[in-house]
Amino acid sequence: MSRTVFCEYLQRDAEGLDFQLYPGELGERIFNHISKQAWAEWQKKQTMLINEKHLNMMSEDDRKFLEEQMVAFLFERKTIEIEGYTPPEN
């Protein structure tokens, strides 16, 4: 049985994550307030950021940068700009 959360990103009730995917207090906040759909959207952005900016996940600075972008995207609903990327037109 899936759980429902009020997703801060989508601003509506949606299916919640199955388990905590990120450590610590931020991970608890994500688990309790972010939906599967919003997390999937973040993962796409995260992949693009890692590739475009050549981030090294062994680097503490790069991990911190990515975490800041994640919080901005999921909780502050800020648009994450990816250099050279133009979203497809519908």
Side-chain angles (χ1 to χ4, degrees), residues 26-67:
L26 179 55
E28 286 182 42
R29 184 175 176 202
I30 291 167
F31 181 71
N32 291 322
H33 302 283
I34 297 298
S35 67
K36 281 184 178 181
Q37 179 184 345
W39 185 256
E41 290 182 32
W42 162 246
Q43 286 183 308
K44 290 176 192 172
K45 291 285 187 183
Q46 174 181 260
T47 300
M48 294 171 78
L49 278 170
I50 291 169
N51 290 336
E52 179 64 35
K53 299 201 176 281
H54 305 286
L55 300 179
N56 176 358
M57 294 299 88
M58 296 298 289
S59 164
E60 187 174 336
D61 289 340
D62 287 357
R63 289 193 312 270
K64 183 176 179 178
F65 168 78
L66 201 57
E67 184 176 278

Side-chain angles (χ1 to χ4, degrees), residues 42 45-46 48-49 53 65-66 68-74 77-83 85:
W42 162 246
K45 291 285 187 183
Q46 174 181 260
M48 294 171 78
L49 278 170
K53 299 201 176 281
F65 168 78
L66 201 57
E68 290 168 355
Q69 297 299 304
M70 177 177 65
V71 169
F73 181 80
L74 293 174
R77 303 192 69 201
K78 292 186 179 176
T79 302
I80 304 298
E81 299 294 328
I82 311 291
E83 291 177 37
Y85 174 72

